[in-house]
Amino acid sequence: MKRTSSKTTLITRAGYQQLKNEHDELWFKKRPEVTRIVSWAASLGDRSENADYQYNKRLLRQIDSRIRFLRKRLDTLSIVDYSPQQEGRVFFGASVVIEDDDGQTLSFRIVGPDEIYGRNDYISIDAPMARALLKKQVDDMATVQTPTGLKDWYIVAIHYPDAAL
């Protein structure tokens, strides 16, 4: 549940919907359930030694904190939809296949920082790799600063998953 705030406010429509669904799940389903448990546990009497009350009260605070974060974040995000003008070049929302001189290939989609959690196939638009690839096209080379030094990557394919929507 822990996510850090990000400087980029771009997000794909699917990413925005995912955050909105998380908010709605917490607000309309999870929070009322936990609130009922807290009320029930409080009615039992001594709250200082009531594990149900203490645990669920802490859970309620975590849920409320996440709801506050999501509401603020959803208000600041800018949804970026696919545009046919993007075809042939790497921009936000692109799925890219790249290859290095050793034949190692990587495949990922460039998305907003709020969308990368729990995904191995997404990278943030803020990542050095994404920044190096922006505006490039197939067969272009991008040089990326890595922990082991500079590394060259060649763009093999560019696809926009949202193009068919």
Side-chain angles (χ1 to χ4, degrees):
M1 258 168 97
K2 180 184 174 208
R3 296 196 176 135
T4 57
S5 72
S6 312
K7 61 182 178 180
T8 300
T9 60
L10 302 178
I11 193 165
T12 63
R13 187 162 298 280
Y16 185 89
Q17 190 58 51
Q18 188 175 1
L19 290 179
K20 179 89 172 75
N21 290 347
E22 180 186 353
H23 169 273
D24 292 350
E25 172 77 14
L26 289 171
W27 182 249
F28 295 114
K29 189 173 180 190
K30 188 84 171 165
R31 190 178 192 287
E33 288 173 10
V34 175
T35 301
R36 277 192 290 282
I37 294 170
V38 168
S39 295
W40 167 79
S43 72
L44 298 178
D46 187 8
R47 296 176 187 168
S48 65
E49 295 183 20
N50 186 329
D52 276 333
Y53 176 82
Q54 291 176 356
Y55 170 78
N56 285 291
K57 190 70 172 168
R58 183 172 39 252
L59 182 58
L60 189 58
R61 282 192 299 271
Q62 291 170 350
I63 290 169
D64 286 344
S65 174
R66 182 68 180 158
I67 288 170
R68 278 191 305 276
F69 170 80
L70 287 170
R71 284 183 176 170
K72 285 181 192 174
R73 191 66 182 154
L74 287 167
D75 284 345
T76 64
L77 291 171
S78 300
I79 297 172
V80 177
D81 287 317
Y82 165 78
S83 167
Q85 298 158 329
Q86 295 173 282
E87 271 314 311
R89 292 197 178 270
V90 178
F91 290 103
F92 185 85
S95 288
V96 183
V97 178
I98 57 175
E99 184 176 343
D100 68 5
D101 291 326
D102 300 328
Q104 175 189 7
T105 61
L106 295 175
S107 179
F108 49 81
R109 185 171 185 202
I110 300 172
V111 296
D114 294 285
E115 301 177 76
I116 61 172
Y117 298 95
R119 302 285 307 246
N120 295 347
D121 57 340
Y122 281 10
I123 66 168
S124 170
I125 187 77
D126 296 326
M129 175 69 80
R131 292 288 182 198
L133 294 173
L134 286 178
K135 299 183 183 172
K136 302 252 190 294
Q137 52 194 350
V138 172
D139 294 330
D140 281 356
M141 180 184 75
T143 303
V144 181
Q145 180 66 47
T146 69
T148 58
L150 293 176
K151 187 166 185 174
D152 294 331
W153 292 91
Y154 300 90
I155 299 174
V156 176
I158 303 166
H159 171 69
Y160 285 91
D162 297 336
L165 297 179

